[in-house]
Amino acid sequence: MTYPPPAYHGDTGEPTASYRRPDATPELDYPSGTTVHYLATGATTNGQFGLYRWDMGPEPSGPAAHFHRSISESFYILSGSVRIYDGRRWIDTGPGDFVHVPEGGVHAFRNESGEPASMLLHFAPGAPREGYFEGLLTLADMSEEEKAEFYLHHDTFWL
């Protein structure tokens, strides 16, 4: 494996870093108590990755087993306990635990602890997952056909 070709060709570098305070307002609030912070989107990373802080309330929440064909997904637990399905078994994770799921890997996650939990979700490459996260709020208003198209558009295949 080698480094990719240079994307920046200047000689002095540029002051282009972004900063987000930990107390910034989340971009999404779900009825379950989960909030989502868009730390870095595919649009802000030139499609290289997406990074989101997923703060779950104490109510059970999380998606069922699924996979993605074009993106990998990784989980880094910040606080609390999150159950992560790795395609073979459910793992009770805690702060500092990391799970990486390559393209095609079956996975799911749930907070079933009765306590809040927080994790980082990392997608590579940086697909527009914000549209998926936001669309989840309108699923109840969609027909079965619209749901199928929504999931297909957002590279999510349920088992």
Side-chain angles (χ1 to χ4, degrees), residues 2-135:
T2 62
Y3 281 94
Y8 175 75
H9 298 284
D11 294 325
T12 59
E14 297 179 18
T16 54
S18 61
Y19 171 72
R20 181 181 172 106
R21 296 184 50 82
D23 60 355
T25 302
E27 280 71 17
L28 282 177
D29 285 298
Y30 288 104
S32 67
T34 293
T35 59
V36 182
H37 297 258
Y38 297 173
L39 303 178
T41 66
T44 63
T45 65
N46 295 319
Q48 294 174 351
F49 69 93
L51 184 65
Y52 308 87
R53 191 173 88 214
W54 201 266
D55 295 330
M56 294 172 277
E59 295 300 314
S61 64
H66 64 282
F67 66 92
H68 310 289
R69 290 184 170 147
S70 64
I71 54 177
S72 66
E73 186 170 357
S74 297
F75 305 87
Y76 182 81
I77 309 307
L78 298 171
S79 64
S81 177
V82 180
R83 297 192 81 209
I84 297 180
Y85 184 64
D86 70 357
R88 294 177 297 276
R89 63 191 165 104
W90 285 94
I91 304 167
D92 290 317
T93 65
D97 284 340
F98 175 78
V99 177
H100 173 73
V101 182
E103 297 89 338
V106 174
H107 61 286
F109 67 85
R110 296 212 29 97
N111 178 13
E112 298 175 344
S113 69
E115 299 292 330
S118 182
M119 66 182 171
L120 295 176
L121 293 180
H122 179 272
F123 295 93
R129 294 304 283 171
E130 312 77 52
Y132 177 74
F133 299 149
E134 293 162 14

